Amino acid sequence: MSTGEPRAEVLRALHRGRPADRPLVLPGPWDAASARTFEEAGFPALATPSAGIAASLGYEDGATPAEEMFAAVARIVRAVSVPVTADLEGGYGLSAAELVERVRETGAVGVNLEDGEGAGGLKDPGAHAEWLAEVRAAAGPGLFVNARVDTYLREGVADPAGDAVARARLYAEAGADCVYPIMAPAADLPGLRAALGDLPVNALSLPDGPSFAELGRLGATRVTFGPGLLFRSLSGLADLAAEVRAQ
């Protein structure tokens, strides 16, 4: 499958005009087999999780070499016919042009790019917005850009919601199609939604959190899982392993 404007527009269109209680739900495949399973279940697009791919390859979250991450994304894209957006962490230190070219080579038509830096820091929002603008300029409309905002993940942020809104607005002006204030509490979603207007907002689904419908009513346009579906699958695999071991 090749990347390009038509397939990116399919992904972009999936974010538009959705009923409040029907956000776009994008499961996160970690390999080709899981990707095929999600496609066969009827999901119209997929969103690879960097942490899930890292775990499947035997790495800690954030430690996957760029070459292995791009190769894993390419295998997933080749396995399915639906659009795939890829979590590429902070971009692996690549220039905007280099990143876009590598994404094109995988066939993915979307990216998730975070503004966290190091073990607990945040990138300068202005500088990150400039880099996102360069990504948009290099990619044109043929790439759906989801800008992850990490203010809720970092200690010492006095007003994570306010900081998230300020960063999200900068990233939207730079050309981001969607923003992802990861780990934003459900109670903060209505305020984020109101402050960001029509800008699509990505929410993280947690096992003990609100339903998809409730996340949508609170303000989420789309819902993703991070590595959550892999971990649930591994729990089931552990049960199967114990059953086989007991025979």
Side-chain angles (χ1 to χ4, degrees), residues 113-141:
L113 298 169
E114 63 193 53
D115 65 359
E117 186 170 53
L122 288 164
K123 295 178 181 177
D124 175 80
H128 189 59
E130 290 180 6
W131 182 71
L132 289 175
E134 292 171 1
V135 170
R136 171 54 68 212

Side-chain angles (χ1 to χ4, degrees), residues 138-211:
L143 191 67
F144 186 97
V145 177
N146 188 38
R148 199 180 95 176
V149 181
D150 284 8
T151 57
Y152 286 96
L153 293 181
R154 308 304 180 182
E155 294 182 3
V157 179
D159 180 13
D163 197 0
V165 168
R167 287 170 175 268
R169 286 173 172 163
L170 279 176
Y171 303 160
E173 290 170 3
D177 296 284
C178 182
V179 292
Y180 181 17
I182 186 170
M183 293 301 294
D188 282 6
L189 287 176
L192 291 167
R193 170 78 288 152
L196 296 174
D198 294 332
L199 182 64
V201 174
N202 189 156
L204 177 68
S205 175
L206 297 172
D208 57 350
S211 67

Side-chain angles (χ1 to χ4, degrees), residues 33-189:
S34 59
R36 289 194 185 106
T37 299
F38 292 135
E39 181 184 29
E40 289 168 1
F43 289 98
L46 306 175
T48 70
S50 61
I53 288 178
S56 74
L57 295 175
Y59 293 104
E60 295 295 324
D61 184 20
T64 308
E67 293 296 325
E68 294 197 44
M69 183 64 73
F70 285 117
V73 170
R75 289 191 293 271
I76 288 169
V77 172
R78 287 197 301 268
V80 297
S81 62
V82 296
V84 174
T85 178
D87 180 356
L88 298 177
E89 302 179 290
Y92 305 110
L94 299 173
S95 70
E98 290 172 322
L99 177 67
V100 170
E101 181 58 30
R102 297 301 304 272
V103 174
R104 285 186 174 133
E105 290 172 354
T106 70
V109 295
V111 289
N112 185 77
L113 298 169
E114 63 193 53
D115 65 359
E117 186 170 53
L122 288 164
K123 295 178 181 177
D124 175 80
H128 189 59
E130 290 180 6
W131 182 71
L132 289 175
E134 292 171 1
V135 170
R136 171 54 68 212
L143 191 67
F144 186 97
V145 177
N146 188 38
R148 199 180 95 176
V149 181
D150 284 8
T151 57
Y152 286 96
L153 293 181
R154 308 304 180 182
E155 294 182 3
V157 179
D159 180 13
D163 197 0
V165 168
R167 287 170 175 268
R169 286 173 172 163
L170 279 176
Y171 303 160
E173 290 170 3
D177 296 284
C178 182
V179 292
Y180 181 17
I182 186 170
M183 293 301 294
D188 282 6
L189 287 176

